[in-house]
Amino acid sequence: MAHYEISVIPGDGIGPEVVQAARAVLDQGMESFGYSLGYTDYDFSADLYRRTGRKITEEDMDEIGKTDAVLFGAMGLPDVRDPEGLELGAQVEMRAHYKLFASLRPARLFAGVNSAVKAKNVDMLVIRETSEGMFAGLHDEHAPSNNEATDRMTITRATSEKLFDVAFEQARARKKRGTPGRVTLLHKSNALRSNVLLEKVFDEVAARHSDIESNKFYIDAGAMYMVTDPGRFDVIVSENIFGDITSEIAAGLIGGLGLAPSADVSAQHGVFQPSHGSAPDIAGAGVANPIAMILSAAMMLDWLGQKNGDGQLIAAARGINAAVEQVLASGPQPTDLGGTASAQEVTEAVLDAVRSIAHVPAAVKA
Ligand code: NAD
Ligand code: MN
């Protein structure tokens, strides 16, 4: 049985609560599906910074980067700021350090979940670029000023080509399980020079993947279509800030952040975390929805499985997804979805479902 080493960063607020739930599901998965994980915990958090001034360093990230994957809860507290006034976020630093350029954010409307929109067929994957775009100037030299502040949107051909290749590969993999096989670029080439290049590179890469459909919308119109007609989207790809916002529109369509997982990846490294933050407003209350984190853990297994050609892990990821599907359909429902179940009750139900799914003979599963 192959063994994988996982670095775990629970973080702040509800981060540790949802990580605990995901760990329980991964542990159950080891027993039920037969894979082996070892964990090392790292206490990087805004809370640690507030108490000790300690932040994640390049050396820390080098050490963490030697493990097979990172499982990340959520980091940041609105009142903990660095001297410049920005929040702490190891997730942002890891993106830069590991050159993670693609954040995969699937949004699927599960049976049993009430959506804010009428559409019932929401099954999309938003891919947000995370190394440049509107965040390109984060480390630019600048003189802090009270009267003027500037950010910079930069698009490069090299990153865009890699990003769009990932988008078309993802669409191809999804198509195998019945999605249309379509990549949509959301952009603003009518007004932003950077986006003229983005669109041009998209057209070139799309031509190389002619088995997969492609289309494009301006981000503003596309944002409206996501709400009025979400069924037209399969894989959506965009630059950093448009992708950030777009992925949360998608999360809203499928019942909210409590159901929205994510994976920040390059070919070598992967950081798996829910799309939500530390939710200080509900931290400690025991009601955080653990499902986004559990689905992120399943994405980790799938990514490790694909990367290492390990079918056991891919099957386990599928099993955990099926378990979540079962719990959302039949309850208990967490409070953010209108139910009354605690995080613990939801987690227990997922564990039960994993156990029962793993016991179905393989022939029935297929
Ligand atoms: P948030 O995602 O933490 O919370 C937004 C709203 O969604 C809140 O009402 C919260 O209670 C609810 N919510 C989020 N996750 C939930 C869950 N699992 N179950 C039930 N309800 C849930 O966003 P925010 O309030 O804008 O930010 C809070 C802190 O988190 C800030 O310090 C922010 O910087 C940080 N943050 C971190 C990350 C990250 O670690 N990747 C991402 C976003 C925000
Ligand atoms: Mn966001």
Side-chain angles (χ1 to χ4, degrees):
M1 190 192 309
H3 177 83
Y4 302 90
E5 280 300 323
I6 310 300
S7 295
V8 183
I9 306 179
D12 294 295
I14 65 168
E17 301 170 30
V18 295
V19 162
Q20 191 187 8
R23 281 273 291 264
V25 173
L26 288 172
D27 289 348
Q28 181 58 50
M30 285 197 240
E31 216 172 279
S32 298
F33 295 104
Y35 57 84
S36 167
L37 303 181
Y39 307 103
T40 308
D41 283 288
Y42 291 91
D43 169 33
F44 294 111
S45 59
D47 186 51
L48 178 78
Y49 178 77
R50 173 162 57 191
R51 285 184 285 113
T52 67
R54 172 99 157 82
K55 282 188 189 186
I56 196 165
T57 63
E58 303 283 311
E59 291 72 38
D60 295 326
M61 288 189 279
D62 283 339
E63 183 187 319
I64 290 169
K66 289 182 193 133
T67 59
D68 294 296
V70 181
L71 198 62
F72 191 93
M75 183 166 163
L77 294 169
D79 58 334
V80 180
R81 307 270 172 162
D82 70 10
E84 238 199 317
L86 298 176
E87 275 196 46
L88 280 288
Q91 66 278 14
V92 179
E93 292 177 64
M94 284 193 291
R95 280 180 194 141
H97 189 86
Y98 301 131
K99 302 190 165 52
L100 308 173
F101 61 91
S103 180
L104 313 179
R105 301 175 169 196
R108 177 152 74 97
L109 182 57
F110 287 96
V113 176
N114 276 325
S115 167
V117 295
K118 277 180 279 173
K120 284 289 153 263
N121 59 334
V122 183
D123 185 355
M124 57 178 89
L125 170 67
V126 177
I127 303 181
R128 166 189 176 187
E129 199 288 318
T130 55
S131 69
E132 51 183 41
M134 193 62 222
F135 291 67
L138 220 50
H139 301 290
D140 285 357
E141 253 182 67
H142 62 287
S145 157
N146 254 334
N147 302 312
E148 190 176 321
T150 303
D151 291 289
R152 161 167 80 78
M153 187 180 297
T154 297
I155 296 293
T156 67
R157 165 175 289 276
T159 298
S160 303
E161 283 185 353
K162 281 192 297 185
L163 176 76
F164 296 142
D165 277 330
V166 168
F168 282 95
E169 283 156 19
Q170 289 288 324
R172 195 171 290 123
R174 285 165 57 85
K175 196 175 174 182
K176 288 192 193 128
R177 64 163 183 76
T179 54
R182 180 185 309 125
V183 178
T184 303
L185 172 70
L186 297 182
H187 66 100
K188 193 74 183 167
S189 75
N190 49 337
L192 299 171
R193 278 186 289 272
S194 58
N195 280 229
V196 173
L197 177 62
L198 188 73
E199 183 183 13
K200 181 165 187 276
V201 177
F202 179 78
D203 290 341
E204 292 172 16
V205 175
R208 295 205 290 265
H209 295 273
S210 52
D211 58 317
I212 298 296
E213 260 179 69
S214 69
N215 61 3
K216 313 173 270 196
F217 297 114
Y218 293 131
I219 179 71
D220 38 5
M224 182 189 69
Y225 295 143
M226 284 181 74
V227 176
T228 57
D229 186 17
R232 70 163 79 192
F233 296 102
D234 177 7
V235 174
I236 289 176
V237 64
S238 199
E239 67 79 48
N240 211 335
I241 196 86
F242 296 160
D244 184 8
I245 298 166
T246 305
S247 66
E248 296 205 22
I249 297 175
L253 294 174
I254 54 116
L257 285 169
L259 295 177
S262 85
D264 284 319
V265 299
S266 68
Q268 294 79 31
H269 291 97
V271 176
F272 300 83
Q273 60 174 322
S275 295
H276 61 71
S278 63
D281 52 337
I282 58 165
V287 296
N289 183 349
I291 289 187
M293 184 77 235
I294 292 170
L295 291 173
S296 304
M299 288 182 84
M300 179 182 83
L301 296 181
D302 187 63
W303 180 80
L304 283 171
Q306 304 282 355
K307 185 168 176 248
N308 297 290
D310 186 335
Q312 209 111 24
L313 284 183
I314 297 170
R318 213 178 296 137
I320 293 171
N321 270 291
V324 165
E325 197 170 315
Q326 201 170 300
V327 170
L328 288 171
S330 57
Q333 292 266 7
T335 56
D336 60 329
L337 301 180
T340 56
S342 66
Q344 171 121 25
E345 287 164 331
V346 175
T347 307
E348 293 290 341
V350 175
L351 294 174
D352 281 342
V354 168
R355 280 188 282 265
S356 72
I357 285 164
H359 282 120
V360 178
V364 179
K365 267 189 262 179

